[in-house]
Structures are given as structure tokens and as C-alpha cells.
């Protein structure tokens, strides 16, 4: 994964930089496997001069030294002092501080400094181990400059006496390696050394002492280290020769071992040592004590029972401070000249998980750009635990969901990298919590919080609070006044969130910049023009908001400006009362009733809304209550009838007011003259001079329209009369009605015709008869039926219909005129289905028939009173069941299906439907002469013209 990640970084770097950067990335990929498994190791001696070169990083990292600065090489360590630094020009790693091994690594055999070499472009992490080589710069020393030793003269040869131990701050081969004793005849020196223990020296008695010869012996003990050249340290040994105690206590073991847990409470039992003495009395009674060795005094940590030799815990034990103690116990008898024996005790401190992991964070990039790529290194995290074994093994993780993650670099070294998208507008500060746990029982943990700031990137365009802005400005408002403030927000900060405003575009070829201006910083819109609602009601423009980021982002908003109307126009009186030079006078008759129309005042207002809502009022003299005016209509009418006390001339002042605040008004004066009759009114009008200049364009248009309508009406009337008069009496071709012919066997045939309601007789027919169809009847949907004289029926088309009309009873009764007629000589044409069918949707199954003797249904045909067989006037009654049957229902405007005219014959056929009386129960068809019909029509027209003329006179 790491190899693929660095390869992707190298690819990105290779495309953006020079060719040698790509070659360098290739080398990183080739040696990545070695870096993941090994580390760079250098060795330097302590106390070297500042600036001393330790090694060449460019060579060991396989990087060109010239590219180190561009790749941002950093040397990171967890120490308080920065002991090493890198030279970007040569790639050398040199000493930046004085290095004292004894200060950095006290009491340790091997001293190393761990560093991290970090390349940021591309990201490469390399662990560096610098081994500090010890110099023999410290000589062995003894804590005490004088050491006294009491030896009985009776001490046998070969008896040993423990000598003080020298301390050397150096380690390894430069520490104390041996001891030397000054030349004497009584004692020799036995030096004991071991790999795991320090070097110790014992004084060995070579021959019996003689107190009488030498009561005091002075020796010099020299400690020699392993340096080249070696350093030495000395201590003066004074031996006091005592008298007679010939048995020395003896320990049961030469080496005692014990284990005790760290942090064991005070008084905890460690071990019990035992020594015996063959002497009796006080010379055989043994007491125990600790022997102080160099700087370590066992009595500070442990306590020993002088009588029993039981050792217990006295002070705090810390495995991390010291994991083992080497204690020397002395057993002495209580003789006058006490004899002593030395025993050795090795106490091992058992580690307890009492140290939580420690987290050290080294920030590399803070703040982090919000557009940082995934995998960008933010910080280095080092986790340490002072405990040993599993108690010192740690695991590290992030707490909670964050756009970061920890990558393990080497052992307990981690990198905090970006693992997801960052958005400063959502969260500008991340408190990244790092939790480290060890593997002890119970496990201990520690937490460290890293504050990672996210720096802003211009990734948000300004946003307007409203998608569209409506501004309302009063007309006649002063120039230079702020009418509105445009507000826009940008989640970005600093320059990225600083917004400036500008106007964009013109509205319908209107130069916006001549009307308004905008403050680029505050967004205040200032008017540069005093608006007039009557000239401009609305206009539109756009405002662009742009931030100051790089690159800048912007957005637009549409602004609609609506001009609000103010009441700045007086009502205007319309013609004829507004014409200059005209006489505003009206004449009414003395006989005028209450409510008589006098005049109507019309006015308009250029304003709108309530400002243009007009009301009319009369400002009349006090006590004059003859006239009133419609408040909303402006019509002047009389309140009552005239009386003899009323004046003949009434001057009226009409006040027209609008509904604005404040209200504006106009006035017009009218003189109302009372005359005796209508003739006087007309005369009065004829005396009113009409000036030619008062004939307006509106009057001209009205005159042209009236003349045009009149001409069109006259042309239409002439055309209609010509069409009606063009029809000839004997013309059957116009109707082209198909014939329906009956046959002796009762069958019939017909053909379809145009929709007409005319029935025509031939001109040479002397009389016209109506014949009743014999059974079976044709369908009710038949559109036209033709009956020819000679009792002949012909069927030319069968009409579709789901219902068959009900046939009357076969027993027919004919009137005398029909019987006398003999064979029918005329032909009857019935056009359109209405002959057999009523109004739309209402089936008419009743045919004109003679009375049926069987059931009383059907109709009856009879000549009019005084008419003979040759009479041309007939009455025909039809319908079911006689007088009690209901009338047929027709919709308004429909022609009754039974009405028809017979052209070429002196007879006409019409339908009469009466409402009320007995005529409501049946309908009649009347046969009459044309001349009589024309006379009636002419008489009716004269009566109507006379009535209309009378109405005109009244008006």
C-alpha cells in the first residue's frame, strides 16, 4: 500500500516538476522495500565538536543533494534538544549540540539517539539511529576517600575482606575493569569480574597479623578503567589490627536471590539471610547489617532485622528506575574483637503495568488546507511505555469519526494523515483524539488531543438571501436616497468571504446606470432619478456579487423595481364638459319627474389604484335640493318634481375628487335650465352654437361606424329580399326533394332531401287534399316523403330507426271532403325528418290520420265551415287520443315538424300551438290562401310600425 501511495505521489510530482524529480521518485519506489524493513544507522563519539558531520543523508537516501530543499527535508526527534541537523546543500547530517553520553544514557551500556528523516514532496519517512560511542572521559572515583578496616590479629591467612567499590560514569570498556593494591607483605588483592555484574575487589590476608609489630597498616587501593589510556581513582585503606576473635561468621549461601513486585507496600517481606558463628557467647552471637556500596545504600530501599536477618521493603520500588538490586549483607559477631562475614543478595524487581503509554505529537502541517489531498501528512505521533514486556507494548488509534487516520511507520511511530474531504465551512477545527493502550493486565491507556485547524479555500460563491428581490420605490422620491440594501453571504472567510457588488445588464433598453447606482462594498442601492409612475411602472436589472478570493467566485440575483403610485394627478374632466369654449349647460322640462336624467360627468385620473378611484359631489347653494349626483357614476338626476317656487336656471358646481392621501379634485360648472316643454328643449339645443373646432376625432369615428353599420344592414336586407323573391311558384328543382311512392300492396319507397319545411302543390292543381297514409307507416326517422296522385308509392331508401311508429287502427273514417275527392290529383312534398319527428330527442309517432272508429285514436280531417269539396282551406287535427292527449313539446327556436308550405299552390300550411284552454290539448294545422296570409301580415306590420312611431314620439 505504501509503495502504491508513493508511486501515485511520484506520478503527480513527475507531471508537475522537472524530469529529475520523476527519476528521484523512481528511485524511491525501487528502495521502498528496504526502508520499510531497515533503518539508517550512524555512529558518533560523544563530546564531538559542534558541526561535525555524522553521515550523508542524500547518499543513504539515494536522493540528489540539490533536491533536498525542494523536497522539504525535516529531521524530527522526540528529545528536548535538537542534537542533529541536516545541510540541504551537501546532504550531510551534522551535530548541532554537544553530546554527553552520560547525560543522555546514564547507567546503560548502549546509548542511541532515534531520529526521523521526512521528505514532504513526495512523502517519505526514514528512521535514523545514531549510536553514541563512549569516550573515556570520566575517571573511576570512590565515594569515601578513606576506608577503615578492623582485622583481628588472630585472623587466619586467607581471610577475605570486602573493599569499597569505585564508580565510573563511563560504560562498557571504559568502565572500571580492575583494581590494584599498593605493595605490602600482609595482604593481596582478589579482583572478581563478571559479565552481568560489576567488578569487585577483596583484600586477602596472606599471613597472620601481629598487632605488636604493626597495630595499623595503611594501603592504597587503585581502581583502573578499560580506557586507552586508562583512568584511575584511589582510596586510602586504614587497617586496625585487633586482638583475638578466631571464628568468623559464615552465611548458609554464597548468593541469595529474591523477587519482589514493584510498588510493593512498605514492610513487604523479601528474603531472610542466615549466618552462623562457631564461637560461644558474644563471640558467636551474629548480627546483620547492610554494606554500603559506592553511591547505593541498600538501607534506603530495604530494611534488615539485625537479629533475624529478615529483609523487608522500606522504600518505593520502581522497575522502570531500577530493575534489580545487588545487596551485600554483613554478619558480625559480638565479640570484643568482632569478626565479620559478607553475603551477597540479588533482588529482582518484577514489572507491574503501572505506566500508561505516553503520546508525543510533532505537528508538521497546521493549519491544513481544506482542499488537502487524501494521504497528506498532518503530524507525527510517537507512543512510548516505560513498562517492559507486554506491559510496554502499545496500540494506537483515533477516537470517533474524523477525516484523519493513523498510519504505522515503524514500531511505535505513526503518521497522522488526511483520510477524507475537509470543509472549513462545516467544521474549521478538529479535535483529533488519539488513544494509546498497552497490552498489560489490566490494560492502561492515555489520550492526547491534537487541534487541527482547517484553513480556508475559496470554494463557495456568494449567495443571496432571496432568489429574487422586489424593491418598491415611491414615485417622486428624492434623488440620492438609498432605496434598498442588497444582502449576500459567503461562508468563506477573510478575502475569500469579502463581497463586492456590481450592476449588470439593462432592462428593455433602459440604461440602468442612469436610474440607480450601487455601493460596491455595502450593497446599498441609491436612486439617481426621480421616478414617475405614469411613465415607468417597473424595470428589472441584475446585481452580481463577487468575492475577493483567487480565483474570484460570483453569483447573480434579479432585482425587480416596482414604482409605487402617489396621488400627484388631479382628476381630468372628459368631453363634452371639458371642451374649451363650450357652454356647459343642460335643459330639462318643467314636467320632469323625480330621477329625471340631466347629465353625466365623466372624469379620469392618471394615477392608479385608490389614487384613481373617483367620486362625484355637488357643491350647490344652500337650500337647493332639486338635483343629486351619483357618487360613483357621475349621473346628475332630479330629486323631485319641479315646483313654481323653483328657479328657472340652476348653476351646479360638480366636484370630482380622487381617493388619494391627500385627496385631489377638479370642478366643472353646469347651468341647468328649466323649460316648459320638450319642444323648447329641442329649440334650446338648436340655439346652442356648435363650433367646428369642437368636432373631435372621437365624434368622427363614431359617425363613420354608424354609417358603415347602416350600409351593411341595408345591403343585407336587399340581398335577403332578392333571394326570397327569386323563388318561382312552380319550382321543384330548388328543393330537389326525393319522392316517396306507395304501392297497392302497401310497400313504399323514398329518397333523402334537404332540410326544408315547405310543402308545394303544382300550379295546375284545382284543389289540394291531404291523404292519410295506410298501414304500415314509414319509420319516424324519414326525412322527406313525397305522395303522388294516383295512389302510387315508391320506396327509394329505407330509413334506419330502432323504433317503428305506432300505426293507427285499420278502421279509418274519412271526412266527406276526402271521400268526394276521389283519387288524389295532387302531390305533397314533405321535407326533412321533422315531418315525422318532433323536437330533437322526442319521438313523434303520431301521424295526421282520419278518426279511427275502433279506439278513438288519431286525428280528423274536415273542410272548414262553408267550404266545399274544391275549397283550398282545410283544418287538420292530429295527435293521439283526441282532446285529452298532451301537446307535443318543442325546444325554443325549433320549427314544428308538421309545418310546411306548398309552393305553386294558393294554399299554405302552418302549425299553431296554443297555451291554455282547450287548445292546449291539441294542435291545429290551418290551410289558407296566400292572399289572406299576405293581408294579415301587412296589417300586422302596419300596426307594429304605428306602435313604434308612438314610442319614438314619447322618447
Amino acid at each position: 500500500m505504501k509503495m502504491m501511495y508513493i508511486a501515485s505521489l511520484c506520478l503527480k510530482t513527475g507531471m508537475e516538476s522537472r524530469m529529475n524529480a520523476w527519476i528521484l521518485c523512481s528511485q524511491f519506489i525501487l528502495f521502498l522495500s528496504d526502508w520499510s524493513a531497515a533503518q539508517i544507522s550512524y555512529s558518533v563519539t560523544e563530546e564531538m565538536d559542534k558541526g561535525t558531520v555524522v553521515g550523508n543523508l542524500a547518499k543513504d537516501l539515494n536522493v540528489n543533494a540539490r533536491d533536498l530543499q525542494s523536497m522539504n527535508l525535516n529531521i524530527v526527534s522526540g528529545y528536548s534538544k535538537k542534537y542533529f541537523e541536516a545541510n540541504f546543500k551537501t546532504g550531510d547530517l551534522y551535530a548541532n549540540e554537544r553530546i554527553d553520553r552520560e547525560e543522555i544514557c546514564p547507567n546503560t551500556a548502549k546509548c542511541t539517539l532515534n531520529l526521523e528523516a521526512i521528505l514532504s514532496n513526495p512523502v517519505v519517512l526514514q528512521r535514523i539511529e545514531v549510536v553514541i560511542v563512549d569516550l573515556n572521559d570520566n575517571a573511576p572515583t570512590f565515594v569515601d576517600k578513606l576506608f577503615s578496616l578492623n582485622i583481628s590479629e588472630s585472623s587466619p591467612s586467607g581471610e577475605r575482606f570486602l573493599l569499597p567499590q569505585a564508580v565510573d560514569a563511563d560504560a562498557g570498556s571504559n568502565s572500571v575493569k580492575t583494581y590494584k593494591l599498593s605493595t605490602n607483605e600482609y595482604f593481596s588483592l582478589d579482583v572478581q569480574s563478571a559479565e552481568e555484574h560489576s567488578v569487585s575487589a577483596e583484600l586477602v590476608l596472606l599471613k597472620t597479623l601481629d598487632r605488636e609489630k604493626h597495630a595499623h597498616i595503611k594501603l592504597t587501593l587503585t581502581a583502573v578503567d578499560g580506557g586507552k589510556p586508562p583512568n584511575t581513582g584511589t582510596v586510602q585503606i586504614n587497617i586496625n589490627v585487633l586482638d583475638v576473635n578466631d571464628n568468623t561468621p559464615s552465611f548458609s549461601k554464597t548468593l541469595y536471590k529474591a523477587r519482589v513486585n514493584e510498588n510493593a507496600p512498605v514492610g513487604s517481606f523479601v528474603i531472610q539471610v542466615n549466618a552462623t558463628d562457631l564461637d560461644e557467647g558474644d563471640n558467636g552471637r551474629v548480627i546483620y547489617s547492610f554494606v554500603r556500596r559506592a553511591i547505593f545504600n541498600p538501607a534506603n530501599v530495604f530494611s534488615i532485622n539485625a537479629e533475624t536477618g529478615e529483609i523487608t521493603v522500606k522504600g518505593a520500588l520502581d522497575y522502570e528506575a531500577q530493575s534489580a538490586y545487588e545487596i551485600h549483607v554483613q554478619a558480625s559477631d559480638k565479640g570484643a574483637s568482632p569478626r565479620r562475614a559478607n553475603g551477597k543478595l540479588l533482588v529482582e524487581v518484577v514489572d507491574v503495568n503501572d505506566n500508561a503509554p505516553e503520546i508525543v505529537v510533532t505537528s508538521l502541517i497546521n493549519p491544513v488546507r481544506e482542499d488537502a489531498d487524501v494521504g497528506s501528512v498532518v503530524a507525527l505521533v510517537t507512543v512510548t511505555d516505560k513498562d517492559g514486556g507486554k506491559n510496554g507494548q502499545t496500540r494506537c488509534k483515533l477516537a470517533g469519526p474524523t477525516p484523519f487516520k493513523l498510519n504505522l511507520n515503524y514500531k511505535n511511530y505513526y503518521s497522522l494523515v488526511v483520510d477524507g474531504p475537509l470543509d472549513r465551512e462545516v467544521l474549521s477545527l478538529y479535535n483529533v483524539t488519539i488513544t494509546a493502550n498497552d497490552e498489560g493486565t489490566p490494560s492502561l491507556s492515555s489520550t492526547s488531543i491534537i487541534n487541527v485547524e482547517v484553513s480556508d479555500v475559496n470554494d463557495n460563491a456568494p449567495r443571496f438571501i432571496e432568489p429574487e428581490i422586489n424593491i418598491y420605490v415611491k414615485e417622486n422620491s428624492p434623488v440620492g436616497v438609498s432605496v434598498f440594501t442588497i444582502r449576500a453571504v459567503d461562508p468563506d472567510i477573510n478575502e475569500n468571504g469579502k463581497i463586492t457588488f456590481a450592476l449588470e445588464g439593462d432592462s428593455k433598453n433602459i440604461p440602468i446606470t442612469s436610474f440607480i447606482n450601487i455601493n460596491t462594498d455595502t450593497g446599498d442601492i441609491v436612486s439617481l432619478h426621480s421616478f414617475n409612475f405614469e411613465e415607468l411602472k417597473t424595470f428589472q436589472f441584475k446585481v452580481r456579487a463577487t468575492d475577493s478570493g483567487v480565483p474570484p467566485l460570483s453569483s447573480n440575483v434579479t432585482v425587480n423595481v416596482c414604482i409605487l403610485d402617489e396621488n400627484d394627478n388631479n382628476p381630468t374632466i372628459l368631453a363634452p364638459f371639458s371642451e374649451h369654449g363650450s357652454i356647459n349647460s343642460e335643459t330639462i322640462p318643467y314636467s320632469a319627474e323625480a330621477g329625471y336624467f340631466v347629465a353625466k360627468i365623466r372624469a379620469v385620473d392618471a394615477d392608479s389604484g385608490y389614487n384613481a378611484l373617483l367620486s362625484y359631489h355637488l357643491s350647490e347653494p344652500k337650500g337647493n335640493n332639486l338635483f343629486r349626483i351619483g357618487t360613483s357614476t357621475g349621473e346628475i338626476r332630479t330629486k323631485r318634481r319641479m315646483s313654481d317656487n323653483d328657479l328657472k336656471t340652476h348653476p351646479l358646481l360638480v366636484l370630482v375628487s380622487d381617493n388619494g392621501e391627500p385627496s385631489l379634485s377638479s370642478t366643472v360648472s353646469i347651468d341647468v335650465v328649466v323649460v316648459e316643454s320638450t319642444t323648447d328643449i329641442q329649440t334650446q339645443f338648436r340655439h346652442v352654437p356648435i363650433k367646428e373646432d369642437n368636432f373631435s376625432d372621437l365624434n368622427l369615428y363614431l359617425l363613420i361606424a354608424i354609417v358603415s353599420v347602416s350600409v351593411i344592414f341595408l345591403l343585407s336586407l336587399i340581398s335577403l329580399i332578392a333571394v326570397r323573391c327569386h323563388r318561382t311558384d312552380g319550382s321543384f328543382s330548388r328543393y330537389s326533394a326525393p319522392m316517396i311512392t306507395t304501392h297497392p300492396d302497401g310497400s313504399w319507397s323514398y329518397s333523402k332531401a334537404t332540410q326544408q319545411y315547405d310543402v308545394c302543390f303544382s300550379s295546375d292543381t284545382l284543389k289540394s287534399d291531404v291523404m292519410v297514409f295506410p298501414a304500415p307507416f314509414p319509420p319516424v326517422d324519414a326525412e322527406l316523403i313525397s305522395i303522388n296522385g294516383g295512389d302510387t308509392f315508391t320506396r327509394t331508401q329505407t330509413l334506419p330507426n330502432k323504433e317503428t311508429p305506432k300505426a293507427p287502427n285499420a278502421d279509418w273514417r274519412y271526412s266527406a271532403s276526402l271521400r268526394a275527392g276521389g283519387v288524389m290529383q295532387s302531390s305533397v312534398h314533405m321535407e326533412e325528418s321533422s315531418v315525422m319527428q318532433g323536437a330533437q330527442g322526442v319521438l313523434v309517432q303520431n301521424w295526421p290520420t282520419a278518426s279511427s272508429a275502433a279506439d278513438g285514436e288519431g286525428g280528423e280531417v274536415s273542410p272548414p265551415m262553408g267550404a266545399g269539396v274544391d275549397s283550398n282551406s282545410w283544418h287538420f287535427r292530429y295527435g293521439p287520443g283526441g282532446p285529452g292527449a298532451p301537446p307535443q313539446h318543442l325546444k325554443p327556436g325549433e320549427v314544428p315538424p308538421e309545418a310546411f308550405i306548398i309552393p305553386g299552390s294558393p294554399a299554405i300550411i302552418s302549425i299553431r300551438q296554443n297555451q291554455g284552454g282547450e287548445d292546449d290539448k291539441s294542435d291545429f294545422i290551418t290551410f289558407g290562401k296566400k292572399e289572406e296570409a299576405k293581408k294579415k301580415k301587412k296589417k300586422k306590420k302596419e300596426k307594429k310600425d304605428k306602435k313604434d312611431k308612438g314610442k319614438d314620439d314619447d322618447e
Side-chain angles (χ1 to χ4, degrees):
M1 293 296 292
K2 184 183 292 185
M3 187 171 181
M4 294 177 63
Y5 172 70
I6 295 180
S8 63
L9 291 177
C10 291
L11 181 60
K12 181 178 179 182
T13 305
M15 291 187 294
E16 296 177 352
S17 63
R18 300 184 303 272
M19 182 60 70
N20 56 359
W22 171 247
I23 298 173
L24 179 60
C25 292
S26 303
Q27 293 175 353
F28 282 156
I29 297 173
L30 292 174
F31 292 95
L32 183 61
S33 59
D34 294 336
W35 296 338
S36 62
Q39 59 183 356
I40 299 174
S41 181
Y42 298 109
S43 178
V44 297
T45 58
E46 67 173 337
E47 304 295 341
M48 61 182 177
D49 296 333
K50 186 176 181 181
T52 303
V53 176
V54 177
N56 189 278
L57 288 176
K59 179 180 178 182
D60 295 332
L61 293 174
N62 292 325
V63 178
N64 193 330
R66 294 185 303 240
D67 298 329
L68 289 178
Q69 189 169 4
S70 63
M71 298 176 72
N72 195 14
L73 174 64
N74 286 324
I75 304 300
V76 180
S77 66
Y79 304 98
S80 59
K81 294 182 179 180
K82 197 167 185 179
Y83 291 101
F84 299 95
E85 190 59 70
N87 189 330
F88 291 100
K89 294 182 179 180
T90 61
D92 293 331
L93 181 69
Y94 62 92
N96 193 44
E97 294 284 346
R98 174 184 169 274
I99 299 175
D100 187 358
R101 192 200 70 81
E102 288 74 25
E103 179 184 355
I104 298 173
C105 307
N107 302 322
T108 57
K110 184 179 179 181
C111 182
T112 60
L113 291 178
N114 295 319
L115 309 175
E116 291 284 337
I118 302 173
L119 297 176
S120 299
N121 187 21
V123 177
V124 178
L125 304 175
Q126 181 64 51
R127 179 179 171 85
I128 301 173
E129 182 185 67
V130 180
V131 179
I132 309 301
V133 179
D134 184 43
L135 289 177
N136 191 19
D137 56 344
N138 293 283
T141 60
F142 291 89
V143 176
D144 299 322
K145 300 300 181 182
L146 181 64
F147 180 76
S148 298
L149 185 63
N150 296 323
I151 302 176
S152 175
E153 64 176 350
S154 62
S155 296
S157 59
E159 188 174 357
R160 294 174 177 269
F161 303 93
L162 187 64
L163 296 176
Q165 188 178 21
V167 177
D168 195 340
D170 296 326
S173 61
N174 294 325
S175 62
V176 176
K177 292 301 180 182
T178 186
Y179 293 89
K180 293 181 181 181
L181 188 64
S182 59
T183 305
N184 66 89
E185 61 179 317
Y186 296 101
F187 297 95
S188 66
L189 191 63
D190 184 13
V191 179
Q192 300 173 355
S193 63
E195 294 180 359
E196 59 182 7
H197 304 297
S198 60
V199 178
S200 62
E202 290 183 342
L203 192 65
V204 180
L205 183 61
L206 295 178
K207 62 180 182 178
T208 305
L209 297 176
D210 189 358
R211 192 188 63 82
E212 287 68 356
K213 287 185 177 179
H214 301 284
H216 300 281
I217 301 173
K218 292 184 178 181
L219 302 174
T220 301
L221 180 64
T222 302
V224 182
D225 62 19
K228 294 179 181 181
N231 294 325
T232 61
T234 61
V235 63
Q236 190 71 31
I237 300 175
N238 293 331
I239 298 175
N240 299 317
V241 180
L242 303 177
D243 194 26
V244 185
N245 191 3
D246 49 343
N247 286 301
T248 303
S250 174
F251 283 95
S252 61
K253 293 181 180 180
T254 57
L255 178 64
Y256 290 92
K257 292 184 178 180
R259 290 169 58 90
V260 62
N261 291 334
E262 67 171 328
N263 301 326
V266 176
S268 299
F269 175 79
V270 179
I271 198 172
Q272 185 176 9
V273 296
N274 185 30
T276 59
D277 194 329
L278 298 177
D279 295 327
E280 293 181 356
D282 288 340
N283 291 331
R285 187 178 299 170
V286 179
I287 58 174
Y288 303 93
S289 63
F290 289 125
V291 178
R292 181 176 177 179
R293 303 279 289 170
I295 60 174
F296 174 62
N297 187 3
N300 295 331
V301 183
F302 302 96
S303 64
I304 187 170
N305 191 318
E307 299 294 333
T308 63
E310 183 179 282
I311 299 174
T312 59
V313 177
K314 180 182 178 180
L317 299 178
D318 190 356
Y319 172 85
E320 290 73 37
Q322 191 167 350
S323 61
Y325 293 92
E326 185 179 333
I327 302 173
H328 289 271
V329 181
Q330 186 181 70
S332 302
D333 57 26
K334 292 185 177 182
S337 299
R339 303 187 68 149
R340 299 175 179 84
N342 294 308
K344 184 182 289 187
L345 170 63
L346 183 62
V347 178
E348 181 183 354
V349 180
V350 180
D351 181 42
V352 174
N353 191 23
D354 60 342
N355 290 281
E358 296 180 0
I359 302 173
V360 179
V361 178
T362 304
S363 296
L364 295 181
I365 305 175
N366 199 3
V368 182
R369 288 173 58 90
E370 62 177 323
D371 61 348
D373 296 332
V374 175
S376 300
V377 179
V378 178
L380 294 179
V381 180
T382 303
V383 181
T384 58
D385 196 321
K386 295 179 181 180
D387 296 324
K390 284 190 175 182
N391 295 333
Q393 297 178 5
T394 60
R395 300 183 306 274
C396 191
K397 64 179 181 179
L398 296 181
T402 60
F404 303 96
K405 72 174 181 178
L406 283 174
N407 288 337
L408 179 63
N409 299 331
Y410 180 81
K411 290 184 178 179
N412 295 329
Y413 293 88
Y414 299 87
S415 296
L416 180 66
V417 298
V418 178
D419 190 44
L422 303 177
D423 192 347
R424 190 207 63 81
E425 289 72 38
V426 176
L427 190 61
S428 61
L429 178 64
Y430 288 91
N431 296 322
V432 181
T433 302
I434 301 176
T435 302
N437 301 81
D438 59 27
E439 296 185 2
T441 303
S443 177
L444 299 179
S445 63
S446 60
T447 301
S448 178
I449 298 177
I450 304 175
N451 295 324
V452 181
E453 296 182 6
V454 181
S455 62
D456 186 48
V457 174
N458 191 25
D459 57 348
N460 290 280
R463 179 176 58 84
F464 290 94
I465 298 176
E466 299 176 356
E468 191 173 75
I469 299 176
N470 296 320
I471 301 176
Y472 299 93
V473 182
K474 290 184 177 181
E475 67 170 330
N476 305 321
S477 59
V479 177
V481 176
S482 175
V483 298
F484 194 79
T485 300
I486 302 294
R487 301 293 184 188
V489 294
D490 194 323
D492 297 325
I493 59 173
N494 300 330
E495 293 299 319
N496 295 333
K498 185 178 180 182
I499 301 174
T500 57
F501 300 91
L503 296 176
E504 272 194 356
D506 294 336
S507 176
K508 296 181 180 178
N509 299 325
I510 297 176
I512 297 298
T513 54
S514 64
F515 283 0
I516 59 172
N517 191 18
I518 188 169
N519 190 312
T520 58
D521 296 326
T522 63
D524 292 335
I525 296 179
V526 180
S527 63
L528 302 178
H529 189 274
S530 183
F531 300 104
N532 188 353
F533 176 81
E534 287 72 37
E535 296 177 358
L536 180 64
K537 293 180 174 57
T538 61
F539 63 92
Q540 187 182 80
F541 61 93
K542 289 186 178 181
V543 174
R544 182 181 71 254
T546 307
D547 59 29
S548 300
V550 178
L553 301 177
S554 63
S555 61
N556 296 332
V557 67
T558 300
V559 180
N560 299 315
V561 179
C562 300
I563 311 301
L564 299 179
D565 181 47
E566 285 198 341
N567 193 23
D568 58 346
N569 290 281
N570 292 75
T572 302
I573 309 298
L574 297 180
F577 300 104
S578 64
E579 295 182 1
H580 297 288
S582 62
I583 299 175
N584 296 329
S585 62
E586 295 292 338
T587 304
I588 62 173
Y590 179 78
S591 60
E593 299 290 338
Y596 184 84
F597 179 81
V598 178
K600 182 171 184 177
I601 308 300
R602 292 180 176 85
V604 294
D605 197 317
D607 296 322
S608 64
Y610 281 98
N611 296 330
L613 185 61
L614 303 180
S615 59
Y616 302 85
H617 306 277
L618 283 178
S619 297
E620 50 191 5
K622 186 175 181 182
N624 187 352
N625 58 352
L626 181 59
F627 302 96
R628 60 181 174 85
I629 189 171
T631 306
S632 58
T633 61
E635 292 183 354
I636 300 176
R637 295 181 181 271
T638 58
K639 286 184 179 180
R640 55 180 175 79
R641 289 179 58 87
M642 299 290 177
S643 65
D644 295 337
N645 296 328
D646 292 328
L647 300 175
K648 298 302 180 181
T649 302
H650 299 269
L652 301 180
L653 180 63
V654 179
L655 177 68
V656 183
S657 303
D658 58 27
N659 203 35
E661 289 292 340
S663 177
L664 300 179
S665 61
S666 298
T667 58
V668 60
S669 297
I670 300 176
D671 293 335
V672 180
V673 179
V674 180
V675 296
E676 294 300 329
S677 64
T678 306
T679 306
D680 296 335
I681 294 177
Q682 295 175 355
T683 305
Q684 183 72 20
F685 275 116
R686 283 195 296 271
H687 290 295
V688 176
I690 299 176
K691 297 184 179 180
E692 294 182 359
D693 56 349
N694 291 337
F695 192 75
S696 62
D697 294 340
L698 179 61
N699 296 333
L700 178 61
Y701 297 152
L702 292 175
L703 181 59
I704 294 173
I706 293 172
V707 172
S708 301
V709 171
S710 301
V711 171
I712 294 173
F713 175 75
L714 291 175
L715 292 176
S716 302
L717 183 61
I718 293 170
S719 301
L720 179 61
I721 294 174
V723 170
R724 302 295 291 182
C725 294
H726 181 67
R727 184 188 305 170
T728 59
D729 292 340
S731 176
F732 282 90
S733 60
R734 180 186 182 278
Y735 299 95
S736 63
M739 305 296 290
I740 294 180
T741 306
T742 59
H743 300 277
D745 58 356
S747 61
W748 55 278
S749 61
Y750 82 100
S751 61
K752 202 170 183 180
T754 58
Q755 184 176 357
Q756 297 290 335
Y757 294 96
D758 295 340
V759 178
C760 302
F761 289 93
S762 60
S763 57
D764 56 351
T765 304
L766 298 178
K767 56 183 178 181
S768 300
D769 295 332
V770 177
M771 181 179 182
V772 179
F773 285 91
F777 292 110
V780 297
D781 289 341
E783 295 185 359
L784 187 141
I785 301 174
S786 178
I787 306 174
N788 296 327
D791 300 330
T792 304
F793 290 82
T794 304
R795 181 183 300 165
T796 59
Q797 182 177 351
T798 302
L799 293 176
N801 191 9
K802 294 181 180 180
E803 297 182 8
T804 302
K806 181 178 179 182
N809 192 286
D811 185 9
W812 299 92
R813 291 183 302 165
Y814 294 88
S815 61
S817 63
L818 292 177
R819 293 190 183 98
V823 179
M824 299 286 292
Q825 299 294 329
S826 63
S827 61
V828 180
H829 298 269
M830 298 182 181
E831 296 181 357
E832 187 54 29
S833 62
S834 297
V835 176
M836 303 179 184
Q837 176 176 326
Q840 183 177 1
V842 180
L843 293 178
V844 181
Q845 298 180 356
N846 304 301
W847 289 71
T849 62
S851 299
S852 174
D855 53 8
E857 296 180 354
E860 180 179 295
V861 179
S862 61
M865 295 299 295
V869 176
D870 295 332
S871 175
N872 289 329
S873 178
W874 294 83
H875 293 284
F876 178 74
R877 177 172 294 175
Y878 72 102
Q888 247 184 343
H889 295 285
L890 299 174
K891 292 184 179 180
E894 290 186 349
V895 180
E898 292 78 13
F900 53 92
I901 301 172
I902 304 175
S905 171
I908 61 173
I909 300 174
S910 64
I911 292 176
R912 177 166 54 91
Q913 288 184 327
N914 298 326
Q915 303 294 331
E918 293 184 358
D919 291 341
D920 292 342
K921 300 178 182 180
S922 61
D923 297 332
F924 294 91
I925 298 177
T926 305
F927 292 59
K929 295 183 180 179
K930 278 187 178 181
E931 291 78 4
E932 293 177 358
K934 287 181 179 181
K935 289 179 180 180
K936 291 181 179 180
K937 186 175 181 180
K938 184 177 181 181
K939 187 176 181 180
K940 186 177 182 181
K941 184 177 180 182
E942 291 176 355
K943 185 178 181 180
K944 183 179 180 182
D945 293 339
K946 186 176 181 181
K947 186 178 181 181
D948 293 339
K949 184 176 180 182
K951 186 183 294 185
D952 293 338
D953 294 339
D954 293 339
E955 291 178 356

